[in-house]
Amino acid sequence: MKDLRVVHGDYAVVKGASSGIGEQFARHLNSARVNVVLVLRRKDRLEALAAELCRAQFARGLRDRCRSTCSAGCSAALS
């Protein structure tokens, strides 16, 4: 399989990442070292998945790439 970052770039937006295929796809992209932007409605699930993905990056030594922020733009994406 080709490196996802080479084929599609360093960033991916995953909408519907709170469960199912979106959640699994976010994990897969994260394991392929793609920067994942999570878009989901439930804040508790967002925080849990973001923390899980960040822990996985810390384990790989990618500490600088792990950021979890939300702004007005995030709110607009959810509406």
Side-chain angles (χ1 to χ4, degrees):
M1 175 183 245
K2 292 184 179 180
D3 184 342
L4 289 172
R5 291 178 307 149
V6 171
V7 176
H8 299 291
D10 291 335
Y11 292 86
V13 176
V14 180
K15 187 174 178 183
S18 62
S19 64
I21 195 166
E23 181 180 15
Q24 293 305 314
F25 193 53
R27 286 187 177 113
H28 175 73
L29 290 168
N30 188 64
S31 69
R33 297 180 179 216
V34 173
N35 296 299
V36 180
V37 177
L38 303 170
V39 179
L40 52 146
R41 284 179 249 155
R42 294 188 51 190
K43 185 177 180 181
D44 59 330
R45 289 190 179 189
L46 169 65
E47 290 170 347
L49 183 56
E52 175 190 328
L53 299 183
C54 285
R55 282 191 304 272
Q57 286 193 357
F58 277 108
R60 291 195 308 266
L62 301 174
R63 196 175 356 210
D64 295 337
R65 293 180 47 206
C66 188
R67 293 176 187 84
S68 178
T69 61
C70 191
S71 65
C74 294
S75 298
L78 297 174
S79 46

